Amino acid sequence: MREAQKKFATYTQEQVDKIFKAAALAANKERIPLAQLAYEETGYGVVEDKVIKNHFAAEFVYNKYRDTKTCGVIEEDKAYGMTKIAEPLGVVAAVIPTTNPTSTAIFKTLLCLKTRNAIMISPHPRAKKCTTEAARIVLEAAVEAGAPAGIVGWIEKPSLVATNTLMSEADIILATGGPGMVNAAYSSGTPALGVGPGNNPAIIDDSADVVNSVNSIMQSKTFDNGMICATEQNVIVLDGVYDAVKAEFQKRGAFFLQGDDIDKVGNTVIVNGAVNAKMVGQPATKIAETAGVEVPAWTKVLIGETESVEPSNPWAHEKLTTILGMYRASDFDDALAKASRLVADGGYGHTSSLFIDTRETEKVQKHANAMKTCRILINTPAAQGGIGDIYNFQLTPSLTLGCGSWGGNSFSGNVDVHQLLNIKSVAERRENMLWFRTPEKVYFKKGCMPVALRELKEVYGCKRAFIVTDSFLYKSGFTKKIEEPLDKMGIVHSSFWSISPDPKLQDAQKGVELLRAFEPDVIIAIGGGSAMDAGKIMWTMYEHPEEKFDDMAVDFM
């Protein structure tokens, strides 16, 4: 694989783009058989939704990066003398989860082909057949389009030992899966891009469109039976719209559990603080049957009305299936407090949701400030919104969602091609730019004074002038040559002449007090260096009262 990658690293952007397109098209053409194979092997989710995920991983990812430069010079600025060159990382170890076994394999292999990396896949033991089939389809299409043979590979017999060996020998790890696997990736000694678990709390504000909010959550929660980790795990509803929200959930196929049934279902899905693997991605009716609870055949989602946001409550956890906890909040601050606690219980850094009238800008900002999540979705189905590019423009399409330091990850966004490149910056010598600014106009030669004064009124519209000069010029009457034209033009003026031959800071400070009281729109300095320098300092202190003279007087390089 390293030999194949070494050869691949010499390919041009044109060659890479041809391979990238061929691989994406091949994966997309097989999206239906791959979805059926994933469902048959894992028993998780919904076939039709897996088709959509495979389509997303192939076509959406291709469309996003088809014009992205990933080979050689990707950026150049000759004026600044800066050139940026993209290089591949090498061999990528890709750990694939059982929840998205084919779509994640397609996504990661396409990213690696676009960036001239080799990729070795470690499939989940319960999904090895469908994952390796997805990888095989991409590999064959890539090789036919000109990629080196062996640029995509996989572990034939998945095991913990094989995966750990792969992670220790690869150049970087793309880890998508449970906390244990992600921790192993970060502990391997190899650079890793991992993701954390999600426990998305969706707040429905009393200003929200109830129908749209509930419809969005149901659309997200039922998609592939709730297995995308960005999906809503709990909903927190403000008291003012609680009854309306509950009625709308019931109208759209949600069944509200009663009495002991709430505990039965909660303890069936969450066992010893973790999701029961047998309940992941299952229909609501099957979960209810397993828990010994009778529900109507039309039930799409099971909802448990609950109060505690502590880890001891199974409904407060991430639930990668078709059940949803529902909390009542007395006000928006109460909702934020509950959401923050739920995020802290296994969802740090991942995703949070808010349904609200976006004109409530103060609440929207308050929510954004309070949530320690890297994706904050507004009025959006979270499963489809979190993976990007469907219900938003700037979240990159991705099936590996980083959670930043909050979630124990090295990256806080949606993983894309840029994380799989080494960027070399070639910086040529340039001296830092210097600049000198002159006034808009400089008046000079005999007879310039009346023109300059006239333009104060006609061009600049000045109404109040402050004259800065020295005592000799003032007492000798020289300033009258300025004051008389100002009077004729109706420009009110005041003069300051208490300036020492070698001006002191105290002189300027005294003048600034008069400036602030007079509030001029122009300062006219008359005289030699003393008056000119004092006028400049006074102007600076008047225009920028927040600045300290001591700081301005410090010598910088």
Side-chain angles (χ1 to χ4, degrees):
M1 180 161 278
R2 289 200 179 279
E3 288 302 311
Q5 193 279 320
K6 186 177 180 180
K7 180 180 179 182
F8 195 29
T10 66
Y11 279 31
T12 65
Q13 188 72 66
E14 185 179 11
Q15 290 174 299
V16 167
D17 289 347
K18 179 184 176 182
I19 293 165
F20 181 53
K21 182 177 182 179
L25 282 171
N28 200 42
K29 287 177 182 176
E30 297 299 319
R31 63 189 183 276
I32 296 175
L34 286 173
Q36 292 170 330
L37 188 60
Y39 179 75
E40 290 167 5
E41 187 174 11
T42 66
Y44 289 169
V46 180
V47 172
E48 293 84 353
D49 294 341
K50 292 184 184 299
V51 173
I52 294 172
K53 287 200 287 188
N54 290 338
H55 176 75
F56 172 85
E59 183 174 333
F60 275 67
V61 169
Y62 170 73
N63 282 331
K64 179 66 178 181
Y65 302 115
R66 62 183 181 179
D67 297 322
T68 301
K69 289 184 178 181
T70 56
C71 305
V73 176
I74 59 173
E75 188 178 328
E76 187 174 22
D77 192 319
K78 292 184 178 179
Y80 287 119
M82 177 62 74
T83 303
K84 293 190 176 181
I85 302 171
E87 297 279 4
L89 302 182
V91 177
V92 176
V95 186
I96 310 296
T98 184
T99 50
N100 303 299
T102 55
S103 54
T104 306
I106 294 168
F107 167 70
K108 291 184 178 181
T109 52
L110 289 182
L111 288 195
C112 288
L113 289 174
K114 179 65 178 180
T115 52
R116 298 182 296 175
N117 290 297
I119 178 171
M120 175 67 80
I121 287 173
S122 174
H124 194 283
R126 293 200 303 271
K128 63 181 180 180
K129 186 177 178 181
C130 62
T131 298
T132 55
E133 178 63 10
R136 182 194 64 78
I137 290 168
V138 172
L139 173 62
E140 289 186 357
V143 171
E144 187 175 343
I151 199 66
V152 176
W154 50 85
I155 297 175
E156 293 283 356
K157 296 180 180 179
S159 68
L160 187 60
V161 172
T163 300
N164 286 337
T165 302
L166 170 62
M167 291 195 296
S168 66
E169 294 186 3
D171 296 303
I172 189 169
I173 304 167
L174 267 182
T176 310
M181 185 279 299
V182 172
N183 288 336
Y186 281 118
S187 303
S188 66
T190 301
L193 288 168
V195 301
N199 194 20
N200 179 359
I203 295 175
I204 300 181
D205 184 55
D206 48 17
S207 69
D209 180 331
V210 170
V211 173
N212 182 62
S213 302
V214 172
N215 181 55
S216 296
I217 293 172
M218 289 294 287
Q219 178 184 340
S220 168
K221 195 63 184 170
T222 57
F223 184 75
D224 207 21
N225 284 343
M227 284 197 297
I228 290 183
C229 49
T231 194
E232 303 84 356
Q233 306 298 330
N234 295 282
V235 58
I236 304 164
V237 186
L238 267 69
D239 186 65
V241 292
Y242 190 91
D243 292 341
V245 167
K246 182 174 180 179
E248 192 64 30
F249 267 123
Q250 291 171 321
K251 178 181 176 182
R252 295 184 178 275
F255 182 81
F256 282 78
L257 300 164
Q258 303 295 322
D260 294 341
D261 290 349
I262 296 175
D263 290 336
K264 288 180 182 179
V265 170
N267 291 322
T268 298
V269 174
I270 303 297
V271 178
N272 296 325
V275 181
N276 179 356
K278 295 179 180 180
M279 293 295 99
V280 170
Q282 299 304 311
T285 49
K286 181 178 179 179
I287 294 172
E289 182 183 354
T290 305
V293 174
E294 290 187 15
V295 299
W298 48 256
T299 302
K300 296 178 181 178
V301 173
L302 298 172
I303 295 182
E305 294 177 277
T306 188
E307 294 181 359
S308 174
V309 290
E310 297 303 316
S312 57
N313 180 8
W315 290 90
H317 288 257
E318 178 187 43
K319 305 169 283 292
L320 296 173
T321 193
T322 49
I323 76 169
L324 188 67
M326 185 159 158
Y327 295 84
R328 184 189 294 265
S330 58
D331 55 28
F332 194 70
D333 286 339
D334 183 36
L336 286 181
K338 286 182 167 66
S340 297
R341 184 65 186 89
L342 290 167
V343 164
D345 183 23
Y348 264 148
H350 207 290
T351 306
S352 57
S353 296
L354 174 63
F355 293 89
I356 193 170
D357 184 333
T358 51
R359 290 174 294 183
E360 296 278 353
T361 53
E362 187 175 332
K363 284 185 177 180
V364 172
Q365 188 61 51
K366 198 171 186 180
H367 177 266
N369 291 339
M371 293 299 102
K372 289 187 176 180
T373 59
C374 299
R375 279 154 295 277
I376 298 173
L377 307 175
I378 309 295
N379 297 330
T380 306
Q384 297 88 341
I387 60 177
D389 224 28
I390 299 176
Y391 281 99
N392 42 61
F393 288 103
Q394 295 299 322
L395 279 182
T396 54
S398 179
L399 290 171
T400 300
L401 311 181
C403 300
S405 63
W406 290 322
N409 299 168
S410 60
F411 178 68
S412 60
N414 290 13
V415 172
D416 62 28
V417 295
H418 299 95
Q419 284 77 58
L420 296 184
L421 292 169
N422 283 322
I423 305 297
K424 298 190 292 191
S425 296
V426 181
E428 299 176 28
R429 174 171 175 164
R430 294 287 190 276
E431 274 72 32
N432 279 349
M433 179 188 73
L434 300 175
W435 56 273
F436 173 73
R437 181 177 179 181
T438 60
E440 183 179 347
K441 289 183 179 180
V442 178
Y443 306 87
F444 58 98
K445 287 195 174 183
K446 197 170 185 68
C448 70
M449 187 183 295
V451 176
L453 292 174
R454 188 171 67 244
E455 289 195 355
L456 287 178
K457 179 74 172 180
E458 296 176 357
V459 178
Y460 302 107
C462 296
K463 296 180 180 179
R464 300 175 70 82
F466 192 83
I467 299 171
V468 178
T469 186
D470 56 46
S471 58
F472 173 77
L473 288 177
Y474 183 78
K475 291 176 181 177
S476 67
F478 185 82
T479 56
K480 288 183 180 180
K481 295 180 181 181
I482 302 292
E483 293 171 338
E484 289 173 357
L486 293 178
D487 289 335
K488 290 179 181 179
M489 290 186 289
I491 297 177
V492 181
H493 54 85
S494 178
S495 297
F496 174 70
W497 63 88
S498 299
I499 295 173
S500 310
D502 292 314
K504 300 179 175 61
L505 178 60
Q506 290 79 1
D507 296 338
Q509 289 173 333
K510 190 185 299 181
V512 169
E513 292 180 11
L514 297 175
L515 265 175
R516 289 172 180 159
F518 186 70
E519 296 184 340
D521 46 29
V522 64
I523 296 173
I524 303 172
I526 307 170
S530 298
M532 295 295 182
D533 289 347
K536 293 171 188 174
I537 294 295
M538 289 164 58
W539 175 87
T540 303
M541 297 171 73
Y542 176 67
E543 289 287 341
H544 303 281
E546 74 282 0
E547 298 292 345
K548 296 179 180 178
F549 183 82
D550 289 347
D551 294 338
M552 291 188 285
V554 173
D555 285 337
F556 274 86
M557 183 172 61

